[in-house]
Amino acid sequence: MRLVLLGPPGAGKGTQAERICASHELVHLSTGDLLRAAVAAGSELGLRAKAAMDAGDLVSDEIVLALVRERLEQPDAAKGFLLDGFPRNTAQAEALDADLGDRGVQRVISMRLDDEEIMRRLLARGRKDDQEIVIRNRLEVYREETAPLIAYYEGKDLLSSIDALGTMDEVFERIQSVLADESAGAGA
Ligand code: B4P
């Protein structure tokens, strides 16, 4: 399966991505994790990404696409992958479509969560970019840059939307039910 997990910051993309990948034996590609690893390693790419991440802005498409391409070219990704936090804007989505060609994305799961719960979860986590003012900017960036991807994938008939409020187990059950339908459709 070739999947995309879409949703606002703090919707639980990373949390659910780990469970989905373990259950379906998919490569987990999180651009947030790849970028944080580059920052921690102090690479040139990491230094360029750091200021945008600290401010809650998107890192440049050039950097993100280089990271994604490098990972998707590895042989294990040919068996299936889940993209977590990527694409984040229309330019990234179009670049992904062009790269994948006729082995394109099969299902996009959009996680819905209200701002109040997002703020509560992220303030409780307390990562460096989880301060109220930065979270507000991340939400703004999400609305402007990422939310249009809901219509983009709806237009391609690839979107399934789920409620991300509830326990981690409840949310996972909702995702599993979408993926069961997807597998049944593929086998039919
Ligand atoms: P990401 O790392 O993608 O982070 P995120 O959107 O904040 O989090 P996620 O939705 O994965 O939430 P999580 O499971 O951790 O992005 C960080 C930054 O990297 C961006 O701001 C940007 O600068 C940069 N970036 C990343 N990708 C990019 C791209 N493609 N292009 C450009 N820039 C990019 O969950 C959050 C918290 O909620 C956790 O503490 C978790 O334990 C908790 N939680 C999860 N599920 C829960 C539940 N059901 N109930 C209660 N709590 C829950």
Side-chain angles (χ1 to χ4, degrees):
M1 269 190 295
R2 297 180 295 280
L3 306 175
V4 168
L5 210 48
L6 195 68
K13 299 184 294 291
T15 304
Q16 296 299 330
E18 285 186 18
R19 294 175 174 220
I20 298 164
C21 290
S23 168
H24 296 271
E25 294 183 36
L26 301 174
V27 164
H28 177 193
L29 195 163
S30 158
T31 41
D33 287 350
L34 289 174
L35 289 166
R36 279 184 288 278
V39 171
S43 65
E44 195 211 319
L45 192 146
L47 290 175
R48 285 168 60 200
K50 188 174 182 305
M53 294 178 79
D54 287 350
D57 290 328
L58 293 186
V59 172
S60 76
D61 293 343
E62 176 213 347
I63 291 181
V64 171
L65 285 167
L67 284 172
V68 170
R69 286 178 174 139
E70 190 186 359
R71 184 64 189 91
L72 288 183
E73 277 165 12
Q74 290 171 29
D76 57 348
K79 290 184 221 134
F81 54 79
L82 181 147
L83 304 177
D84 156 14
F86 176 90
R88 234 22 180 238
N89 59 26
T90 308
Q92 292 180 9
E94 288 172 350
L96 178 68
D97 286 346
D99 283 1
L100 295 178
D102 56 7
R103 293 184 54 80
V105 170
Q106 292 165 303
R107 179 72 20 208
V108 177
I109 299 169
S110 164
M111 301 177 72
R112 285 181 276 110
L113 194 64
D114 62 66
D115 289 5
E116 204 179 317
E117 174 67 8
I118 288 171
M119 194 56 86
R120 200 185 63 71
R121 287 186 189 178
L122 293 181
L123 289 176
R125 177 172 66 181
R127 204 167 67 191
K128 193 168 177 224
D129 56 345
D130 291 337
Q131 302 156 41
E132 187 164 346
I133 187 162
V134 179
I135 298 169
R136 294 223 175 276
N137 188 43
R138 286 160 66 194
L139 284 169
E140 189 66 31
V141 169
Y142 172 77
R143 268 187 275 279
E144 281 183 14
E145 302 264 340
T146 312
L149 293 181
I150 293 173
Y152 179 89
Y153 286 118
E154 231 162 22
K156 292 177 182 286
D157 208 14
L158 292 176
L159 196 86
S160 298
S161 181
I162 61 134
D163 183 1
L165 187 67
T167 67
M168 294 177 191
D169 287 344
E170 285 166 347
V171 177
F172 184 55
E173 277 305 308
R174 290 171 201 148
I175 294 174
Q176 288 289 63
S177 134
V178 167
L179 295 179
D181 289 349
E182 174 65 27
S183 302

